[in-house]
Amino acid sequence: MEPWKIMQPSFAAKYVGYLVPALNNIGKQASPSVDRCIDTEKIVRYEINMALALSAEGFAWSHALKHKLRPNVDNHNHAGKSQSYLAHDDDHRNTIPVNHEPAAKKLKVDPKRSETEAAEEEEERLTYLRKLIPGGSGEMMVDDEILLSELGSYVSCLELQVNVLRSMLQFN
Amino acid sequence: MNRALPEMLPCSDMTVLQRQRARLKWQAEQFQQQSYFCELSGVFTSQNVHVQGFQQGGLVSGCGGGDSVLSNMEMTRQLKPDPGLEAAWPELGKVDMGFGSCGYGNGPSFDMNHAISRTSSCPPAVAAAAVEVKGNAEKMGSAVGRESFKKRKVEKLQNSKVVAEDESKRIKASEEEEEESKITGPNTNKITNHKKENSGDTSKDNSKVSEVQKPDYIHVRARRGQATDSHSLAERVRREKISERMKYLQDLVPGCNKITGKAGMLDEIINYVQSLQRQVEFLSMKLATVNPRLDFNIDNLYAKEEFPSCTTNFPTVGMAPEMANHSPYLQFNPIQQVVSGCGVEMGMGMGMNSSDMALRRTISAPVSIPDASFLNTTCFTGPQQQIQPSAPWEVELQNLYNVAFTDTIEESDLKMEM
């Protein structure tokens, strides 16, 4: 957590530094076409995620995100994945309401429930969180402690990212 | 040798040390077998072991079992029976042997609530008796079958929940317990932080902590009334770390202050992460539609930053407004890009042809990651006062700066003065 606090201030600057030129490059590419609109979205999404991964070096999730976006030659698992983690997460997102509500309802259960039930609930939520964070299911984040630390930095980065994107669009 | 200590030994470290040394020998044997725990359990079960006393005394010990997970654990046991004093004491004497129901090596940090400090209150008679008992205890220890150790551990756990006994007993027990034996296990390393934590927690404990510590020993203490086996110690440490992280997340995620309980917190975190991801997705889509226009005004924006007279020297760029020279700008190309990117829309329609020159200069300059500290400190040195919005876009840039950076950096930057 401490390293993240040190990195935080430079994150926004780095992020913009990565993203803006990338976006500019998109604008200068091939002539517009119908398909390009869709592609642009994907490309933009890709660049956004890439900027996120590059601006927050040193975290397991950023590493995993980078690999997801830029599959390495030797990493066959990622070979066919979509470039956008968001697209990947769409599946999860769609299932979110379904999966999540039962968990939410469990909270209303008798507080005297046994410890094992509570532990199971927590486990359930933790596995859910693992799906949300890039690399959460990987080997780096098997430990709960590490998962929670990574979550902290990931959430901060997401917030910063949203702020930057919002301000970029604000004066449109 | 310690047994040779004759007269009344004042409760002192010396006594403790000596006792410890004496015990080390036979303890080492038992540890190596890692059946340590089994040994004494039998002994204790048969007796009314006031295990609580031991636990209170902060039996801590990481058994340096070979298979202990945390290599940093060190075993410290408290041996100290004082059978002479009371009936219960003989048991204590035996307890010391194995007491190590210590956690083995899993990096536990126990907080000993009581401690060793109690020893100081022991009457000399106790000490004398302790010496004798010690001798007996050691003999017993060796004689005790290893098999009983596990039982003892169980019993100790049970006893830990027993209501505190009377004070005198505890005080005496504590004296006995204070002695710690250092046990070397295959994986012992030294952890001193726990000790320091403990000392912070309990003033009493510090005094009796054995000073004779080999570099590879780690003292861990169990809280009063808590189990002291290595597994639970490790568990406890892990839980503490996890709760610490959860607190951090609680600060991070808005609206979590009122939520207690891990499950609820995790729920909130899940919701928050999902909402953030959705926002990013949404913003990216928006950005994609805007994108074609982005490159229009970047030139303009770049150019503007180059003008020394422009107050674009601008906080957004992270530079103190009073800096007129260009060199800082060149260092902050990424930031300049920020401005340009962000202000692209603002620059729309502002044809500043002269900016082309400046733009090229900017583009050719090496891009370097701006110094975070510089950016942060200057950003907050009154950007608002120093900016004179001479142009409408400057105002927007200023706003942009505030929006983009205030939220995101407010906490960390202000505190950071690198």
Side-chain angles (χ1 to χ4, degrees), chain A residues 23-112:
Chain A
L23 292 179
N24 291 337
N25 286 338
I26 298 175
K28 292 168 189 168
Q29 278 171 4
S31 59
S33 64
V34 178
D35 292 338
R36 193 161 167 270
C37 298
I38 305 173
D39 288 343
T40 307
E41 267 190 33
K42 278 190 187 168
I43 296 177
V44 167
R45 202 181 293 150
Y46 171 85
E47 291 297 342
I48 281 179
N49 293 329
M50 202 60 203
L52 176 67
L54 292 173
S55 310
E57 298 276 351
F59 295 111
W61 61 263
S62 69
H63 189 70
L65 182 58
K66 214 190 296 182
H67 276 275
K68 208 184 280 193
L69 295 176
R70 268 204 294 224
N72 291 336
V73 178
D74 53 356
N75 192 354
H76 300 292
N77 292 337
H78 293 282
K81 273 190 186 173
S82 85
Q83 281 189 335
S84 163
Y85 86 95
L86 289 175
H88 181 67
D89 284 346
D90 278 336
D91 302 334
H92 295 294
R93 210 175 299 127
N94 292 335
T95 57
I96 285 176
V98 177
N99 291 340
H100 202 46
E101 287 180 11
K105 284 174 189 168
K106 273 189 187 175
L107 287 178
K108 301 169 190 172
V109 172
D110 179 14
K112 291 180 188 173

XYZ file of all heavy atoms in Angstrom, chain A residues 23-112:
710
model
N -4.634 8.204 -28.434
C -5.896 8.606 -29.044
C -5.663 9.436 -30.295
O -6.385 9.317 -31.288
C -6.741 9.379 -28.031
C -7.266 8.545 -26.856
C -8.065 9.411 -25.910
C -8.098 7.387 -27.348
N -4.647 10.260 -30.211
C -4.338 11.047 -31.392
C -3.951 10.161 -32.557
O -4.313 10.407 -33.702
C -3.190 12.017 -31.089
C -3.634 13.092 -30.133
O -4.821 13.361 -30.039
N -2.699 13.688 -29.452
N -3.221 9.130 -32.222
C -2.814 8.222 -33.290
C -4.012 7.572 -33.956
O -4.024 7.326 -35.152
C -1.883 7.139 -32.737
C -0.514 7.707 -32.439
O -0.143 8.741 -32.988
N 0.220 7.046 -31.582
N -4.978 7.307 -33.172
C -6.179 6.692 -33.741
C -6.781 7.638 -34.768
O -7.210 7.237 -35.843
C -7.206 6.389 -32.653
C -6.631 5.400 -31.647
C -8.468 5.838 -33.273
C -7.538 5.146 -30.495
N -6.823 8.905 -34.383
C -7.437 9.874 -35.272
C -6.714 9.985 -36.599
O -7.302 10.299 -37.620
N -5.417 9.731 -36.546
C -4.645 9.915 -37.774
C -4.568 8.666 -38.624
O -3.873 8.651 -39.625
C -3.219 10.341 -37.402
C -3.173 11.728 -36.798
C -1.821 12.020 -36.174
C -1.876 13.322 -35.390
N -0.682 13.495 -34.550
N -5.262 7.664 -38.200
C -5.143 6.420 -38.960
C -6.032 6.402 -40.181
O -6.468 7.420 -40.666
C -5.459 5.239 -38.046
C -4.270 4.832 -37.193
C -4.662 3.828 -36.145
O -5.797 3.391 -36.114
N -3.731 3.455 -35.294
N -6.305 5.204 -40.609
C -6.976 4.993 -41.903
C -8.239 5.818 -42.056
O -8.808 6.322 -41.099
C -7.303 3.515 -42.068
N -8.646 5.925 -43.247
C -9.817 6.750 -43.559
C -11.054 6.173 -42.881
O -11.149 4.976 -42.665
C -10.020 6.797 -45.066
O -10.195 5.480 -45.562
N -11.931 7.037 -42.618
C -13.121 6.602 -41.890
C -13.957 5.621 -42.708
O -14.047 5.721 -43.908
C -13.906 7.893 -41.679
C -12.989 9.014 -42.024
C -11.935 8.469 -42.905
N -14.505 4.727 -42.019
C -15.409 3.795 -42.679
C -16.473 3.406 -41.671
O -16.393 3.741 -40.507
C -14.658 2.559 -43.170
O -14.142 1.859 -42.050
N -17.394 2.722 -42.132
C -18.486 2.342 -41.232
C -17.971 1.465 -40.102
O -18.293 1.640 -38.936
C -19.600 1.605 -42.009
C -20.696 1.174 -41.045
C -20.163 2.506 -43.096
N -17.150 0.563 -40.495
C -16.642 -0.352 -39.473
C -15.750 0.356 -38.469
O -15.578 -0.087 -37.356
C -15.844 -1.486 -40.140
C -16.766 -2.375 -40.953
O -17.966 -2.378 -40.661
O -16.276 -3.045 -41.870
N -15.225 1.426 -38.948
C -14.241 2.076 -38.088
C -14.864 2.582 -36.793
O -14.205 2.708 -35.778
C -13.592 3.229 -38.850
C -12.365 3.733 -38.148
C -11.484 4.507 -39.086
N -10.481 5.221 -38.302
C -10.649 6.446 -37.831
N -11.749 7.101 -38.103
N -9.705 7.019 -37.124
N -16.127 2.883 -36.875
C -16.751 3.380 -35.651
C -16.689 2.341 -34.562
O -16.387 2.618 -33.413
C -18.216 3.753 -35.930
S -18.367 5.063 -37.128
N -16.974 1.138 -34.975
C -16.937 0.083 -33.976
C -15.508 -0.176 -33.546
O -15.213 -0.353 -32.375
C -17.577 -1.197 -34.552
C -18.981 -0.892 -35.040
C -17.574 -2.292 -33.509
C -19.637 -2.034 -35.779
N -14.649 -0.196 -34.547
C -13.253 -0.452 -34.220
C -12.706 0.632 -33.311
O -11.906 0.358 -32.421
C -12.417 -0.523 -35.494
C -12.718 -1.792 -36.254
O -13.290 -2.703 -35.633
O -12.396 -1.864 -37.452
N -13.152 1.829 -33.598
C -12.639 2.918 -32.769
C -12.954 2.684 -31.310
O -12.131 2.898 -30.439
C -13.247 4.261 -33.218
O -13.037 4.432 -34.611
C -12.620 5.398 -32.464
N -14.130 2.224 -31.109
C -14.494 1.949 -29.712
C -13.563 0.949 -29.101
O -13.087 1.105 -27.973
C -15.925 1.420 -29.650
C -16.953 2.493 -29.417
C -18.312 1.888 -29.120
O -18.350 0.817 -28.503
O -19.301 2.509 -29.503
N -13.337 -0.102 -29.864
C -12.470 -1.134 -29.306
C -11.075 -0.603 -29.082
O -10.430 -0.895 -28.072
C -12.407 -2.330 -30.265
C -13.566 -3.275 -30.156
C -13.302 -4.542 -30.959
C -14.539 -5.420 -30.978
N -14.397 -6.506 -31.967
N -10.658 0.158 -30.082
C -9.291 0.669 -29.964
C -9.191 1.629 -28.788
O -8.231 1.594 -28.018
C -8.869 1.366 -31.273
C -8.845 0.350 -32.412
C -7.515 2.018 -31.106
C -8.523 0.958 -33.750
N -10.175 2.444 -28.676
C -10.151 3.394 -27.563
C -10.152 2.649 -26.237
O -9.412 2.964 -25.315
C -11.351 4.358 -27.650
C -11.520 5.121 -26.353
C -11.164 5.312 -28.801
N -10.980 1.664 -26.182
C -11.041 0.889 -24.958
C -9.686 0.251 -24.680
O -9.199 0.237 -23.557
C -12.107 -0.192 -25.103
C -12.639 -0.698 -23.791
C -13.656 -1.771 -24.026
N -14.852 -1.267 -24.671
C -15.627 -1.988 -25.476
N -15.323 -3.229 -25.744
N -16.715 -1.465 -25.999
N -9.128 -0.266 -25.723
C -7.816 -0.891 -25.569
C -6.800 0.117 -25.060
O -6.033 -0.158 -24.129
C -7.374 -1.470 -26.902
C -5.949 -1.943 -26.916
C -5.626 -3.212 -26.475
C -4.915 -1.115 -27.361
C -4.317 -3.651 -26.482
C -3.609 -1.541 -27.358
C -3.315 -2.821 -26.929
O -2.016 -3.241 -26.921
N -6.819 1.280 -25.682
C -5.830 2.272 -25.280
C -6.059 2.731 -23.850
O -5.113 2.989 -23.102
C -5.880 3.480 -26.228
C -5.389 3.176 -27.628
C -3.925 2.773 -27.644
O -3.216 3.048 -26.658
O -3.506 2.159 -28.633
N -7.288 2.815 -23.499
C -7.579 3.236 -22.124
C -7.029 2.219 -21.144
O -6.383 2.563 -20.150
C -9.101 3.417 -21.940
C -9.522 4.758 -22.531
C -9.503 3.314 -20.495
C -10.996 5.028 -22.436
N -7.294 0.976 -21.415
C -6.803 -0.047 -20.503
C -5.300 -0.128 -20.520
O -4.658 -0.348 -19.489
C -7.395 -1.401 -20.877
C -8.881 -1.440 -20.636
O -9.367 -0.771 -19.729
N -9.600 -2.193 -21.434
N -4.745 0.040 -21.696
C -3.288 -0.029 -21.806
C -2.660 1.108 -21.018
O -1.668 0.911 -20.320
C -2.896 0.068 -23.286
C -1.537 -0.506 -23.560
S -1.482 -2.227 -23.097
C 0.244 -2.441 -22.843
N -3.248 2.271 -21.158
C -2.723 3.413 -20.403
C -2.818 3.138 -18.905
O -1.922 3.495 -18.134
C -3.483 4.682 -20.781
N -3.886 2.498 -18.521
C -4.034 2.172 -17.104
C -2.937 1.236 -16.657
O -2.303 1.425 -15.619
C -5.411 1.540 -16.861
C -5.690 1.064 -15.441
C -5.760 2.240 -14.503
C -6.981 0.283 -15.389
N -2.720 0.213 -17.454
C -1.715 -0.774 -17.077
C -0.319 -0.161 -17.036
O 0.491 -0.487 -16.176
C -1.749 -1.951 -18.044
N -0.057 0.729 -17.971
C 1.282 1.297 -18.042
C 1.518 2.367 -16.987
O 2.642 2.628 -16.595
C 1.527 1.879 -19.431
C 1.615 0.841 -20.559
C 1.699 1.537 -21.910
C 2.800 -0.067 -20.353
N 0.451 2.991 -16.564
C 0.619 4.070 -15.604
C 0.774 3.560 -14.188
O 1.129 4.309 -13.295
C -0.582 5.008 -15.644
O -0.856 5.389 -16.959
N 0.465 2.348 -13.995
C 0.497 1.813 -12.640
C 1.394 0.596 -12.591
O 0.974 -0.478 -12.198
C -0.913 1.458 -12.184
N 2.608 0.803 -12.951
C 3.526 -0.327 -12.968
C 3.770 -0.850 -11.566
O 3.705 -0.121 -10.599
C 4.870 0.130 -13.563
C 4.765 0.597 -14.993
C 4.839 -0.548 -15.976
O 5.137 -1.663 -15.559
O 4.572 -0.330 -17.157
N 4.065 -2.081 -11.502
C 4.470 -2.629 -10.214
C 3.379 -3.338 -9.447
O 3.588 -3.779 -8.331
N 2.242 -3.433 -10.034
C 1.186 -4.161 -9.346
C 0.871 -5.434 -10.109
O 0.991 -5.500 -11.311
C -0.078 -3.315 -9.252
C 0.097 -2.113 -8.405
C 0.086 -0.863 -8.978
C 0.291 -2.224 -7.038
C 0.252 0.252 -8.201
C 0.448 -1.108 -6.254
C 0.432 0.134 -6.843
N 0.418 -6.389 -9.381
C 0.095 -7.655 -10.031
C -1.027 -7.469 -11.040
O -1.024 -8.060 -12.115
C -0.290 -8.704 -8.983
N -1.985 -6.657 -10.669
C -3.114 -6.496 -11.577
C -2.704 -5.752 -12.827
O -3.222 -6.035 -13.921
C -4.287 -5.812 -10.882
C -4.028 -4.438 -10.357
C -3.697 -4.105 -9.089
C -4.081 -3.221 -11.079
N -3.542 -2.754 -8.981
C -3.770 -2.189 -10.192
C -4.374 -2.901 -12.401
C -3.738 -0.853 -10.567
C -4.339 -1.571 -12.782
C -4.021 -0.573 -11.868
N -1.816 -4.790 -12.702
C -1.418 -4.065 -13.907
C -0.611 -4.977 -14.822
O -0.706 -4.905 -16.046
C -0.616 -2.813 -13.556
O 0.637 -3.160 -13.024
N 0.151 -5.809 -14.191
C 0.916 -6.773 -14.981
C -0.025 -7.708 -15.727
O 0.143 -7.984 -16.918
C 1.826 -7.558 -14.034
C 2.821 -8.421 -14.721
N 3.892 -7.916 -15.419
C 2.908 -9.769 -14.830
C 4.598 -8.910 -15.924
N 4.026 -10.045 -15.578
N -1.013 -8.200 -15.001
C -1.964 -9.113 -15.625
C -2.754 -8.413 -16.729
O -3.025 -8.990 -17.784
C -2.915 -9.668 -14.566
N -3.080 -7.181 -16.484
C -3.839 -6.441 -17.485
C -3.011 -6.244 -18.743
O -3.504 -6.398 -19.867
C -4.254 -5.087 -16.901
C -5.113 -4.192 -17.789
C -6.385 -4.890 -18.181
C -5.421 -2.892 -17.065
N -1.766 -5.932 -18.541
C -0.888 -5.751 -19.684
C -0.801 -7.022 -20.509
O -0.816 -6.996 -21.737
C 0.505 -5.348 -19.184
C 1.214 -4.392 -20.104
C 2.654 -4.207 -19.714
C 2.781 -3.561 -18.340
N 4.206 -3.348 -17.989
N -0.712 -8.110 -19.811
C -0.617 -9.371 -20.534
C -1.906 -9.709 -21.241
O -1.901 -10.304 -22.318
C -0.238 -10.502 -19.564
C 1.231 -10.596 -19.330
N 2.061 -11.292 -20.169
C 2.014 -10.062 -18.380
C 3.310 -11.183 -19.727
N 3.311 -10.445 -18.646
N -2.969 -9.305 -20.650
C -4.238 -9.595 -21.291
C -4.382 -8.773 -22.571
O -4.932 -9.220 -23.567
C -5.383 -9.272 -20.320
C -6.611 -10.106 -20.563
C -7.734 -9.670 -19.649
C -7.581 -10.232 -18.260
N -8.818 -10.060 -17.479
N -3.882 -7.575 -22.490
C -4.028 -6.703 -23.648
C -3.010 -7.029 -24.732
O -3.285 -6.916 -25.914
C -3.850 -5.242 -23.220
C -4.909 -4.699 -22.265
C -4.556 -3.287 -21.843
C -6.271 -4.723 -22.925
N -1.842 -7.382 -24.270
C -0.772 -7.656 -25.225
C -0.284 -9.069 -25.015
O 0.719 -9.274 -24.360
C 0.407 -6.698 -24.975
C 0.359 -5.448 -25.779
C 1.725 -4.873 -25.952
N 2.309 -4.419 -24.700
C 2.950 -3.268 -24.563
N 3.049 -2.460 -25.593
N 3.487 -2.931 -23.422
N -0.975 -9.986 -25.533
C -0.610 -11.374 -25.243
C 0.812 -11.638 -25.694
O 1.197 -11.320 -26.805
C -1.599 -12.207 -26.055
C -2.513 -11.255 -26.720
C -2.076 -9.861 -26.465
N 1.547 -12.232 -24.809
C 2.915 -12.556 -25.154
C 2.958 -13.767 -26.044
O 2.073 -14.593 -26.069
C 3.730 -12.825 -23.883
C 3.926 -11.552 -23.099
O 3.869 -10.480 -23.652
N 4.142 -11.701 -21.820
N 4.043 -13.859 -26.719
C 4.158 -14.974 -27.656
C 4.119 -16.293 -26.912
O 3.538 -17.268 -27.345
C 5.471 -14.869 -28.450
C 5.622 -16.048 -29.397
C 5.494 -13.564 -29.232
N 4.751 -16.289 -25.762
C 4.847 -17.565 -25.067
C 3.651 -17.843 -24.186
O 3.576 -18.866 -23.551
C 6.115 -17.587 -24.205
C 6.155 -16.370 -23.314
O 5.265 -15.526 -23.428
O 7.089 -16.245 -22.527
N 2.743 -16.921 -24.192
C 1.589 -17.123 -23.328
C 0.402 -17.544 -24.163
O -0.387 -16.736 -24.610
C 1.293 -15.820 -22.585
C 0.312 -16.069 -21.471
O -0.211 -17.151 -21.339
N 0.062 -15.054 -20.689
N 0.303 -18.803 -24.333
C -0.701 -19.294 -25.269
C -2.118 -19.099 -24.763
O -3.063 -19.033 -25.522
C -0.456 -20.771 -25.558
C 0.898 -21.018 -26.151
N 1.209 -20.586 -27.403
C 1.997 -21.600 -25.654
C 2.477 -20.931 -27.666
N 2.969 -21.542 -26.631
N -2.227 -19.018 -23.488
C -3.575 -18.898 -22.949
C -4.263 -17.634 -23.407
O -5.458 -17.591 -23.600
C -3.517 -18.905 -21.423
C -3.085 -20.267 -20.926
O -3.239 -21.244 -21.631
N -2.543 -20.317 -19.734
N -3.463 -16.616 -23.532
C -4.084 -15.340 -23.871
C -4.256 -15.156 -25.358
O -4.772 -14.153 -25.797
C -3.223 -14.202 -23.318
C -3.211 -14.173 -21.835
N -4.251 -13.657 -21.111
C -2.316 -14.607 -20.933
C -3.976 -13.759 -19.830
N -2.808 -14.331 -19.685
N -3.804 -16.108 -26.073
C -3.735 -15.922 -27.529
C -5.064 -15.523 -28.128
O -5.138 -14.711 -29.008
C -3.211 -17.195 -28.190
N -6.129 -16.108 -27.634
C -7.372 -15.805 -28.317
C -8.246 -14.783 -27.632
O -9.339 -14.486 -28.066
N -7.730 -14.228 -26.565
C -8.622 -13.379 -25.777
C -8.863 -12.043 -26.433
O -8.044 -11.536 -27.171
C -7.990 -13.142 -24.406
C -8.357 -14.222 -23.437
C -7.920 -13.806 -22.045
C -8.163 -14.979 -21.096
N -7.621 -14.710 -19.789
N -9.954 -11.508 -26.110
C -10.261 -10.179 -26.629
C -9.335 -9.182 -25.970
O -8.854 -9.392 -24.882
C -11.703 -9.814 -26.321
O -11.782 -9.276 -25.033
N -9.142 -8.124 -26.649
C -8.147 -7.189 -26.161
C -8.642 -6.393 -24.981
O -7.877 -5.842 -24.234
C -7.747 -6.244 -27.273
C -6.766 -6.882 -28.241
C -6.230 -5.871 -29.205
O -6.898 -4.872 -29.456
N -5.077 -6.109 -29.755
N -9.906 -6.335 -24.878
C -10.404 -5.467 -23.831
C -10.827 -6.273 -22.614
O -11.587 -7.214 -22.716
C -11.599 -4.675 -24.351
O -12.310 -4.133 -23.277
N -10.303 -5.901 -21.527
C -10.721 -6.613 -20.333
C -12.160 -6.294 -19.997
O -12.853 -7.048 -19.375
C -9.792 -6.279 -19.166
C -10.172 -5.038 -18.405
C -10.951 -5.115 -17.260
C -9.759 -3.786 -18.812
C -11.282 -3.992 -16.548
C -10.091 -2.667 -18.106
C -10.842 -2.773 -16.978
O -11.161 -1.645 -16.270
N -12.561 -5.157 -20.478
C -13.945 -4.800 -20.233
C -14.872 -5.702 -21.022
O -15.908 -6.123 -20.550
C -14.180 -3.342 -20.608
C -13.528 -2.336 -19.666
C -13.722 -0.926 -20.180
C -14.118 -2.468 -18.275
N -14.460 -5.958 -22.226
C -15.296 -6.847 -23.026
C -15.344 -8.215 -22.380
O -16.361 -8.869 -22.339
C -14.744 -6.934 -24.443
N -14.222 -8.586 -21.881
C -14.172 -9.884 -21.215
C -15.073 -9.883 -20.010
O -15.752 -10.840 -19.702
C -12.737 -10.194 -20.828
C -12.581 -11.516 -20.166
N -12.785 -12.694 -20.825
C -12.269 -11.846 -18.909
C -12.573 -13.705 -19.987
N -12.258 -13.215 -18.824
N -15.042 -8.766 -19.359
C -15.830 -8.693 -18.145
C -17.301 -8.526 -18.419
O -18.104 -8.632 -17.508
C -15.349 -7.508 -17.284
C -14.052 -7.860 -16.606
O -13.692 -9.038 -16.594
O -13.407 -6.934 -16.092
N -17.608 -8.249 -19.659
C -19.026 -8.097 -19.950
C -19.784 -9.344 -19.550
O -20.894 -9.287 -19.043
C -19.238 -7.842 -21.447
C -19.017 -6.371 -21.773
O -19.163 -5.559 -20.850
O -18.717 -6.043 -22.922
N -19.138 -10.443 -19.809
C -19.815 -11.677 -19.427
C -20.060 -11.680 -17.932
O -21.112 -12.041 -17.462
C -18.940 -12.876 -19.814
C -18.659 -12.873 -21.299
O -19.487 -12.304 -22.027
O -17.638 -13.435 -21.727
N -19.043 -11.282 -17.235
C -19.205 -11.274 -15.789
C -20.249 -10.275 -15.371
O -21.028 -10.495 -14.472
C -17.878 -10.928 -15.119
C -16.833 -11.976 -15.371
N -16.941 -13.247 -14.876
C -15.698 -11.933 -16.068
C -15.886 -13.941 -15.268
N -15.114 -13.178 -15.972
N -20.213 -9.184 -16.093
C -21.132 -8.141 -15.694
C -22.566 -8.571 -15.883
O -23.444 -8.267 -15.099
C -20.840 -6.868 -16.491
C -21.182 -5.625 -15.722
C -20.776 -4.396 -16.484
N -19.352 -4.341 -16.724
C -18.811 -4.172 -17.909
N -19.558 -4.032 -18.968
N -17.518 -4.127 -18.063
N -22.757 -9.290 -16.963
C -24.126 -9.706 -17.188
C -24.598 -10.645 -16.109
O -25.757 -10.685 -15.758
C -24.237 -10.398 -18.558
C -24.008 -9.403 -19.680
O -24.222 -8.219 -19.492
N -23.567 -9.882 -20.818
N -23.679 -11.367 -15.633
C -24.091 -12.324 -14.612
C -24.034 -11.717 -13.226
O -24.391 -12.329 -12.258
C -23.182 -13.556 -14.656
O -21.830 -13.109 -14.480
C -23.318 -14.266 -15.978
N -23.577 -10.536 -13.183
C -23.412 -9.926 -11.866
C -24.712 -9.852 -11.098
O -24.788 -10.304 -9.979
C -22.819 -8.519 -12.001
C -21.339 -8.610 -12.326
C -23.020 -7.751 -10.712
C -20.719 -7.282 -12.576
N -25.702 -9.280 -11.724
C -26.933 -9.143 -10.927
C -27.444 -10.497 -10.488
O -27.945 -10.642 -9.390
C -27.912 -8.489 -11.895
C -27.085 -7.936 -12.988
C -25.852 -8.756 -13.058
N -27.250 -11.431 -11.336
C -27.791 -12.740 -10.974
C -27.011 -13.343 -9.830
O -27.566 -13.823 -8.861
C -27.739 -13.684 -12.206
C -28.222 -15.057 -11.812
C -28.601 -13.111 -13.319
N -25.742 -13.265 -9.972
C -24.936 -13.909 -8.952
C -24.897 -13.129 -7.666
O -24.721 -13.678 -6.603
C -23.498 -14.097 -9.455
C -23.474 -15.123 -10.558
O -24.384 -15.909 -10.680
N -22.433 -15.110 -11.366
N -25.059 -11.873 -7.818
C -24.776 -11.043 -6.663
C -25.940 -10.978 -5.685
O -25.772 -10.883 -4.500
C -24.404 -9.649 -7.129
C -23.622 -8.907 -6.119
N -22.562 -9.453 -5.450
C -23.753 -7.676 -5.631
C -22.079 -8.577 -4.628
N -22.767 -7.490 -4.702
N -27.107 -11.019 -6.227
C -28.243 -10.826 -5.323
C -28.354 -11.880 -4.254
O -28.581 -11.560 -3.100
C -29.530 -10.729 -6.133
C -29.612 -9.396 -6.867
C -30.884 -9.279 -7.680
O -31.756 -10.135 -7.484
O -30.987 -8.348 -8.466
N -28.175 -13.085 -4.632
C -28.264 -14.082 -3.552
C -27.258 -13.777 -2.456
O -27.530 -13.938 -1.282
C -27.921 -15.404 -4.242
C -28.178 -15.159 -5.676
C -28.001 -13.696 -5.926
N -26.142 -13.315 -2.865
C -25.147 -12.994 -1.851
C -25.639 -11.845 -0.994
O -25.483 -11.828 0.209
C -23.831 -12.649 -2.519
N -26.250 -10.894 -1.650
C -26.724 -9.739 -0.896
C -27.816 -10.160 0.067
O -27.903 -9.681 1.185
C -27.234 -8.671 -1.855
N -28.608 -11.068 -0.400
C -29.692 -11.480 0.486
C -29.138 -12.197 1.701
O -29.702 -12.158 2.762
C -30.654 -12.401 -0.273
C -31.550 -11.650 -1.220
C -32.382 -12.594 -2.058
C -33.117 -11.820 -3.154
N -33.705 -12.727 -4.147
N -28.042 -12.801 1.508
C -27.505 -13.554 2.628
C -27.171 -12.651 3.786
O -27.115 -13.055 4.910
C -26.237 -14.297 2.182
C -26.522 -15.638 1.575
C -25.218 -16.378 1.367
C -25.447 -17.657 0.601
N -24.209 -18.335 0.274
N -26.948 -11.436 3.477
C -26.561 -10.524 4.538
C -27.676 -10.355 5.540
O -27.462 -9.984 6.669
C -26.192 -9.162 3.959
C -24.854 -9.124 3.232
C -24.629 -7.747 2.658
C -23.737 -9.494 4.181
N -28.851 -10.597 5.088
C -29.960 -10.393 6.006
C -30.221 -11.615 6.857
O -31.116 -11.635 7.664
C -31.216 -10.042 5.212
C -31.015 -8.786 4.384
C -32.139 -8.581 3.406
C -31.801 -7.474 2.434
N -32.792 -7.379 1.375
N -29.407 -12.572 6.629
C -29.613 -13.785 7.415
C -29.326 -13.507 8.875
O -28.620 -12.570 9.211
C -28.691 -14.889 6.870
C -28.717 -16.102 7.766
C -29.144 -15.272 5.463
N -29.833 -14.345 9.657
C -29.617 -14.235 11.079
C -28.138 -14.031 11.400
O -27.299 -14.817 11.002
C -30.115 -15.523 11.727
C -29.902 -15.505 13.226
O -29.632 -14.420 13.758
O -30.016 -16.571 13.832
N -27.843 -13.005 12.079
C -26.444 -12.727 12.392
C -25.790 -13.810 13.236
O -24.596 -13.860 13.369
C -26.488 -11.395 13.143
C -27.913 -11.195 13.487
C -28.739 -11.959 12.519
N -26.618 -14.623 13.780
C -26.036 -15.653 14.613
C -25.610 -16.869 13.808
O -25.275 -17.885 14.368
C -27.055 -16.101 15.669
C -27.333 -15.025 16.694
C -28.342 -15.511 17.715
C -28.783 -14.373 18.623
N -29.876 -14.786 19.501
